[in-house]
Amino acid sequence: MGSMATNFQHVEFIGGYTLFFEAGTTEVDSVIVEAGMAPSGYFWERIAQYLFETDQVEGPFAWDSSLNFFSVNGSFESTEALQAELEKLVADSAALQEVMRAAEADEFELEF
């Protein structure tokens, strides 16, 4: 393990920026699976929404994820700040577990 790197893409389009990455490519996928969840784009979208709703990142965001990709639209600043937070989580299982525990304690559903 450890050699797998999640390739974040930060792309400009008319009216804003899109941040996306392929789900199932993170170093923490096994942690998500051990928690009984799927490391899908939807899971990462819920993590991102939790960060947003707990004021750890500022929006606005337009969520656009799928099973295979995490994808969100927003301003350059908002998507860049979210990328910085997610980059920490995709590479650090302890940090991700901390966010997952906090979400659970707040009764924030990470998976539907």
Side-chain angles (χ1 to χ4, degrees), residues 8-79:
F8 283 84
Q9 303 286 322
H10 193 216
V11 181
E12 187 175 10
F13 68 96
I14 295 169
Y17 284 80
T18 299
L19 172 66
F20 65 95
F21 66 86
E22 189 174 355
T25 64
T26 77
E27 292 181 32
V28 294
D29 288 352
S30 60
V31 170
I32 300 165
V33 172
E34 282 164 24
M37 293 181 241
S40 68
Y42 299 121
F43 171 84
W44 287 107
E45 180 169 286
R46 293 297 288 165
I47 290 287
Q49 288 171 344
Y50 180 73
L51 296 175
F52 171 64
E53 292 190 17
T54 54
D55 298 322
Q56 296 176 64
V57 289
E58 285 186 33
F61 296 111
W63 308 102
D64 192 29
S65 295
S66 66
L67 191 64
N68 297 323
F69 281 89
F70 167 83
S71 181
V72 63
N73 303 322
S75 68
F76 177 80
E77 293 78 14
S78 67
T79 51

